[in-house]
Amino acid sequence: MNQLPDFWRTEVLHPLSVHLPIALLLVATAFKLVSLWRSGETWSRGGSILLFVGVIGGWMSVYTGNLADGVVARELCDPTVLKDHENAALIMVWLFTSAVILEMIYSFLKKTWLKLLMVGAMIIGSGFLGYTGHLGATLVYQQAAGVYVPSDDCEEFQ
Amino acid sequence: MKIIAKVLLGFLFVFAFSACESTDAVESGTYTGTVDEVEPAKTEIYVKTADGKTLELYFTNETSLTKSGEVVDFSMLEEGMTVEVEVEKVGKRLDPISVVIME
């Protein structure tokens, strides 16, 4: 008889940790984009806070993803998708990290080109974020990465 | 300050893209190459073949690792070593059947 595995498995930490930074970084990009046209603290300061917290969450997601990789890669039929997912995630998180550094430099210099560069990095980063998410979803829904597949007769749920 | 900011940003962008690794799916068979990277926590190695392909190999319970005919521990593997690997292609995954340390 199959035994239902514990839910809190190493590979489950990754999907639990990725969704908050995804939301934060996308909304941060929207806030910073709006702040180019609208003055006021809400858009600019709000975007900065979302960006900082989102980047911390992004690096945590890279860490949990690395842990999950060691577990699921042996069971995938096409691990090249996992590699593309990891590469896109690294590029994305470095782009948003660049935006954080630009934000800090901007707070001292107040040069418009720095702000434009920061928003540019965030927009490109958002593109990579979407691609990373798409590949992650492909791994789960096409290759059952990290997913427990119940037995045909569902005996372990009796 | 402006120059420092540009250099820093350029460095970050280059670093972001250079941090990426690409791997290749090859047919089942035996390949000789150099160990490019060892990941002990995942019992995983990257092997660079003579024709420039990078094989990402996750050891399984069935993978044998030998040196001079003797079974050795995974911790014996180091970057730069020459190895001969026999792999089985399952889908696009490469399962290492045997890894022989040549030097």
Side-chain angles (χ1 to χ4, degrees), chain A residues 21-33:
Chain A
I22 289 173
L24 292 178
L25 292 171
L26 290 177
V27 178
T29 304
F31 268 50
K32 285 294 184 186
L33 205 54

Side-chain angles (χ1 to χ4, degrees), chain A residues 55-125:
Chain A
V55 165
I56 293 168
W59 281 111
M60 283 174 65
S61 299
V62 168
Y63 175 72
T64 59
N66 201 33
L67 293 177
D69 169 295
V71 179
V72 305
R74 288 171 178 81
E75 295 152 16
L76 298 176
C77 292
D78 185 359
T80 60
V81 178
L82 178 61
K83 187 55 71 181
D84 291 342
H85 174 66
E86 289 172 1
N87 286 339
L90 269 181
I91 292 170
M92 177 273 295
V93 82
W94 274 113
L95 283 166
F96 280 108
T97 303
S98 305
V100 167
I101 292 167
L102 287 167
E103 166 79 26
M104 289 192 288
I105 298 171
Y106 174 78
S107 67
F108 290 108
L109 298 183
K110 300 289 180 195
K111 299 284 185 188
T112 308
W113 67 270
L114 277 170
K115 193 170 185 177
L116 290 172
L117 214 53
M118 175 185 68
V119 176
M122 292 174 76
I123 291 170
I124 299 168

Side-chain angles (χ1 to χ4, degrees), chain A residues 66 69-70 73-80 83 87 90-91 94-95 98 101-102 105 109 113 117 121 128, chain B residues 1-2 5-6 8-9 12-13 15-17 19-21 23 42-44 46 56 58-59 90-93:
Chain A
N66 201 33
D69 169 295
R74 288 171 178 81
E75 295 152 16
L76 298 176
C77 292
D78 185 359
T80 60
K83 187 55 71 181
N87 286 339
L90 269 181
I91 292 170
W94 274 113
L95 283 166
S98 305
I101 292 167
L102 287 167
I105 298 171
L109 298 183
W113 67 270
L117 214 53
F128 274 99
Chain B
M1 192 69 182
K2 199 170 174 177
K6 282 180 179 173
L8 189 66
L9 190 71
L12 274 171
F13 272 61
F15 185 80
F17 285 88
C20 299
E21 296 164 330
T23 55
K42 300 180 191 172
T43 53
E44 175 197 13
Y46 291 81
E56 184 179 22
Y58 289 88
F59 280 44
V90 181
K92 285 188 178 174
R93 186 182 73 227

Side-chain angles (χ1 to χ4, degrees), chain A residues 138-155:
Chain A
T138 304
L139 287 166
V140 173
Y141 295 106
Q142 291 191 323
Q143 300 194 57
V147 175
Y148 170 70
V149 181
S151 60
D152 288 342
D153 57 4
C154 302
E155 197 182 354

